[in-house]
Amino acid sequence: MRCWRKTRCCSATSSPELGPAAAARRRSIVCSLAATLAVGWVSACPPAAAAAGYLDELIARARAERLAVRREWLDLGHYRPRLLGSGQTSLIDSPGFFNAPDGKVDPEAELEATLSAFFAGPARDDAQLHPQCAFPARYRWLKAALQFDPDRLPEQPCPRFDEWLAGIDAQQVTLIFPAAYMNNPSSMFGHTLLRLDRSGQDERTRILSYAVNYGAVTGNDNGLLFAIYGLTGGYPGTYSIKPYYQLVRQYTDFENRDIWEYQLNFTPAEVQRLLEHLWELREQSADYYFFDENCSYQLLFLLDVARPGLRLTDHFRVYAIPLDTVRAVVREDGLLVRAVFRPSSRTRIEHGLRALTAGERQLVQRLADGALAPDAPELERLAPARRAAVLELATDFETYRMRTGARTRAQAAGLALKLMAARSRIAAASTPEVPEPAVRPDQGHGSARLALGLGARDGRWFQTLSLRPAYHALSDPAAGYVPGAEIDFLDLELRYYDGDRGPILDSLTVVGIRSIAPRNELFRPVSWELGGGFQRFRRDRHDEQGALVGTLWGGAGPAIGLAGGGLASLMATTNLFAGPDCSETCFAAFGPAFTVILPITERWTAQFECRLQALLGDEITDRFDAGLGQTVELTSNLALKLDLGVEKDRGGPQTEWSTSLHWYF
């Protein structure tokens, strides 16, 4: 703990121009400085009175110029306006980040205490960092703003910081966006990190760069405990800097996730500011919240500090989705230099499979399973180029399984070496490169959606208004999003039937997740769905409105790919319903669900869904619904949707059609 925190002043003369509160802070600062000098913590420093006098001058100038409310200072302290009441609160929760006891909630007190700390003399041993060295970004900014006199406030050497800075040797910053990964709850919305590239590196050597990551320290928690802590700030979030290849290895699901690299045009001076602030954060933590104070939001502070005036964090007052933070960066004029697509190992393998015939894909499978030798006659009969493609793909798949832990190195190494040796004896072209998608993730539709619609249920007209803050449904335009992945969060639909007194809540999806992943000769994923919310349950055919009931649902099963990028899945599903009149609205339902998604053109997609279930309550009845939906993309953030369907809960079937205009933002 810094010595000034331990110091008390019993008496001092109040300064009328400072006011009582400011004078109290001044007394604390002066006394702490005097105590520091008295106990011999420093050497070769100006007399206490002279130092205190210059400190008073700096504080007075800082107040006159209102430095404590400047955006640059607020960003350095990670201050944000309080949700309730006035004033600012820092998002950093570590006490060591602040020089003032109330620095977390008082930017001015923190600025003045920081100025006081800068007057300390050289530390007595290498293990102790001088405040100028502990807070280099603050020191550089305050020095420039107040024009420090080096004779009255000597600048201290910072060998540890200088050595750290030279080791990173960064000249360029690249924003890294690994796409969403549905089988990891913390990665469903994607992830972001910053890569610090050195001068002269090329695309092959950038893996050796350092990267900056912000993440929650979760230990071994997973499942429900992970969700609860992640939503309520139960985990500390920390900044870390490691070699890029180590972070890639740490996130083993990167093997399944395509990566987009957004090179930014920061100058060397801006990169220096970013690194200075990162040094200040190296041992600090902030409570991690999955929806707002998350990995992507906290990294934006580094960019805001690097280039004052960006104000990227201002875009995310309520929640921050990683993809939306990428959009905020890319939309800044001149900030993006270029974007590079890095397909995952799985994407490369699946692309290679699609280039083979059905018989060749079977050969790849047998080679990878060890059921076929690399010099088997079935392979020798192939043309050299085709044999090379088969061997290369089998090698890539064996390597993939080893990296993802599906096979141990001892199990995979021998077969992989044999396959590579056989491939090396063939002078033929390699598997073609994976083409870059036509639409980048940041170019897809906005995460939030507002929709207005008109329709009829069994001949009775209604109007609809729906709002969803996040993120993507299978019926939305698919460009830029992971195919077959759906995440609906707080999807609310209000419906007004002609002749009624007012609108009703027709449905609320609190959270709905669906992953339709096609199977092939090498990959056998299980498609699944899970969700909960509220919906209308119709007890008879003439009950258009029905009863609002709570529901939970889930399902799992296989899926296949169709021509033209289509998908088809068949799942065994379960639904649970519970309403106020339990004798009429409490049920369990079980049965199959069939889904087909078919892109007709680049902007026109059709979706067919059918669900048939046995409804178990006071009696056993059947329940089904079937619907055909079509979505036409008008612009990147505007779509027209038409739905036709028939539904039966407990009474007779009811038909419904609707058309709606969807605006994404």
Side-chain angles (χ1 to χ4, degrees):
M1 182 177 292
R2 295 176 179 84
C3 63
W4 70 270
R5 290 187 179 179
K6 301 178 182 179
T7 305
R8 292 186 179 180
C9 238
C10 298
S11 62
T13 303
S14 177
S15 177
E17 72 275 14
L18 300 180
R25 284 202 300 269
R26 176 186 176 279
R27 288 197 301 270
S28 176
I29 291 168
V30 172
C31 289
S32 65
L33 181 61
T36 298
L37 294 168
V39 298
W41 189 72
V42 297
S43 61
C45 56
Y54 188 43
L55 175 60
D56 283 346
E57 289 182 30
L58 294 177
I59 290 175
R61 285 164 52 196
R63 290 174 183 166
E65 298 180 25
R66 296 177 56 80
L67 295 187
V69 298
R70 291 257 196 102
R71 183 56 187 261
E72 295 94 326
W73 177 253
L74 297 178
D75 283 340
L76 284 168
H78 292 220
Y79 291 104
R80 281 298 168 263
R82 295 174 188 164
L83 291 178
L84 298 176
S86 60
Q88 306 275 343
T89 299
S90 174
L91 300 184
I92 302 298
D93 296 296
S94 296
F97 187 69
F98 305 102
N99 291 291
D102 54 349
K104 181 176 174 64
V105 296
D106 191 338
E108 185 175 43
E110 179 61 21
L111 187 148
E112 294 174 8
T114 300
L115 284 172
S116 172
F118 288 161
F119 279 84
R124 288 182 299 180
D125 55 66
D126 293 339
Q128 198 169 31
L129 279 178
H130 189 279
Q132 293 181 16
C133 304
F135 300 100
R138 299 189 196 185
Y139 177 77
R140 302 296 176 204
W141 184 75
L142 287 169
K143 178 182 179 181
L146 296 173
Q147 295 295 304
F148 291 164
D149 182 345
D151 293 328
R152 303 173 73 187
L153 176 54
E155 183 168 327
Q156 301 298 320
C158 302
R160 286 170 55 187
F161 170 68
D162 293 339
E163 182 181 358
W164 177 84
L165 199 64
I168 295 173
D169 190 26
Q171 298 294 318
Q172 189 179 65
V173 176
T174 299
L175 177 64
I176 306 295
F177 177 69
Y181 181 55
M182 298 301 292
N183 288 332
N184 185 341
S186 65
S187 302
M188 284 185 176
F189 290 96
H191 182 66
T192 60
L193 57 150
L194 299 176
R195 194 180 64 207
L196 307 172
D197 299 321
R198 298 182 178 184
S199 177
Q201 285 185 313
D202 56 29
E203 301 304 327
R204 294 173 300 175
T205 60
R206 294 196 194 281
I207 192 70
L208 302 177
S209 300
Y210 283 95
V212 183
N213 187 55
Y214 180 86
V217 182
T218 63
N220 296 321
D221 294 344
N222 52 40
L224 180 60
L225 192 60
F226 171 85
I228 293 173
Y229 284 171
L231 291 172
T232 59
Y235 292 120
T238 60
Y239 292 87
S240 62
I241 180 167
K242 298 178 181 178
Y244 183 49
Y245 71 86
Q246 286 188 11
L247 283 175
V248 171
R249 185 186 303 164
Q250 175 182 338
Y251 289 89
T252 55
D253 54 19
F254 277 18
E255 298 295 332
N256 296 295
R257 302 167 70 179
D258 297 334
I259 294 176
W260 286 87
E261 302 175 354
Y262 297 87
Q263 182 181 328
L264 308 180
N265 74 338
F266 284 128
T267 66
E270 291 170 335
V271 176
Q272 170 91 0
R273 280 197 294 270
L274 186 152
L275 292 173
E276 287 173 349
H277 186 50
L278 181 61
W279 172 265
E280 297 176 342
L281 296 164
R282 70 198 182 284
E283 296 178 354
Q284 316 304 333
S285 66
D287 293 341
Y288 186 97
Y289 292 88
F290 186 74
F291 285 115
D292 52 3
E293 298 173 31
N294 54 28
C295 61
S296 299
Y297 178 74
Q298 295 285 12
L299 286 179
L300 294 181
F301 278 101
L302 296 175
L303 304 183
D304 282 348
V305 167
R307 180 174 291 180
L310 279 180
R311 301 195 173 190
L312 294 170
T313 53
D314 285 356
H315 298 286
F316 306 99
R317 293 299 191 190
V318 180
Y319 61 92
I321 295 173
L323 180 53
D324 288 342
T325 65
V326 174
R327 289 193 179 105
V329 171
V330 171
R331 287 171 183 167
E332 289 291 329
D333 289 340
L335 190 55
L336 177 66
V337 176
R338 63 171 180 155
V340 177
F341 173 63
R342 302 287 183 194
S344 67
S345 299
R346 181 163 180 164
T347 295
R348 290 195 299 268
I349 293 169
E350 290 182 335
H351 176 70
L353 274 179
R354 288 191 292 271
L356 302 180
T357 66
E360 290 167 346
R361 291 196 294 269
Q362 291 293 332
L363 292 176
V364 173
Q365 180 185 17
R366 293 173 62 194
L367 282 169
D369 290 342
L372 185 68
D375 57 354
E378 294 95 323
L379 288 169
E380 295 297 328
R381 287 194 289 266
L382 296 177
R386 308 304 297 176
R387 186 163 72 253
V390 168
L391 288 167
E392 190 169 312
L393 201 56
T395 304
D396 290 344
F397 182 62
E398 192 67 10
T399 304
Y400 167 86
R401 291 199 291 186
M402 181 175 62
R403 288 177 176 172
T404 56
R407 288 169 65 86
T408 66
R409 183 174 295 274
Q411 292 171 328
L415 178 57
L417 286 173
K418 291 179 182 178
L419 291 169
M420 286 189 288
R423 170 64 182 91
S424 67
R425 291 191 291 269
I426 305 171
S430 300
T431 304
E433 291 294 321
V434 178
E436 181 176 309
V439 179
R440 301 194 309 256
D442 61 282
Q443 296 171 328
H445 68 74
S447 299
R449 184 187 69 194
L450 176 67
L452 297 173
L454 175 70
R457 187 176 187 89
D458 265 6
R460 190 178 180 193
W461 290 88
F462 61 82
Q463 298 87 47
T464 64
L465 170 66
S466 66
L467 177 65
R468 182 199 67 196
Y471 163 71
H472 175 72
L474 295 178
S475 59
D476 293 331
Y481 287 83
V482 178
E486 174 179 275
I487 302 177
D488 261 351
F489 179 69
L490 294 181
D491 191 354
L492 170 73
E493 181 177 334
L494 301 177
R495 183 173 288 193
Y496 173 73
Y497 284 91
D498 287 355
D500 285 357
R501 294 182 178 180
I504 62 171
L505 175 62
D506 190 71
S507 66
L508 171 61
T509 300
V510 177
V511 61
I513 305 170
R514 183 157 40 166
S515 175
I516 299 180
R519 300 161 69 91
N520 53 43
E521 287 80 1
L522 299 182
F523 297 102
R524 305 283 181 176
V526 175
S527 297
W528 55 275
E529 64 177 27
L530 185 68
F534 300 88
Q535 68 182 61
R536 293 283 163 178
F537 187 90
R538 276 87 182 179
R539 287 169 282 196
D540 59 64
R541 180 172 183 177
H542 304 291
D543 184 14
E544 294 96 345
Q545 292 191 6
L548 187 65
V549 301
T551 179
L552 299 173
W553 65 86
I560 61 171
L562 303 176
L567 296 170
S569 71
L570 178 64
M571 297 189 192
T573 64
T574 300
N575 286 66
L576 301 177
F577 302 94
D581 185 1
C582 201
S583 62
E584 295 288 335
T585 57
C586 292
F587 297 96
F590 307 90
F594 180 60
T595 302
V596 176
I597 303 169
L598 189 62
I600 300 174
T601 69
E602 289 185 357
R603 293 181 174 270
W604 180 14
T605 301
Q607 180 177 344
F608 173 76
E609 295 194 66
C610 180
R611 191 178 302 259
L612 177 63
Q613 295 178 316
L615 198 62
L616 309 181
D618 53 354
E619 59 181 351
I620 300 177
T621 59
D622 64 310
R623 173 180 184 265
F624 71 86
D625 63 81
L628 174 64
Q630 298 185 71
T631 303
V632 179
E633 183 181 357
L634 305 177
T635 69
S636 61
N637 281 314
L638 199 64
L640 183 66
K641 193 168 185 293
L642 175 65
D643 291 295
L644 303 171
V646 59
E647 179 182 82
K648 175 183 180 294
D649 282 337
R650 193 174 183 185
Q654 296 178 333
T655 59
E656 178 177 304
W657 70 267
S658 67
T659 183
S660 54
L661 185 65
H662 292 203
W663 173 50
Y664 302 90
F665 59 98

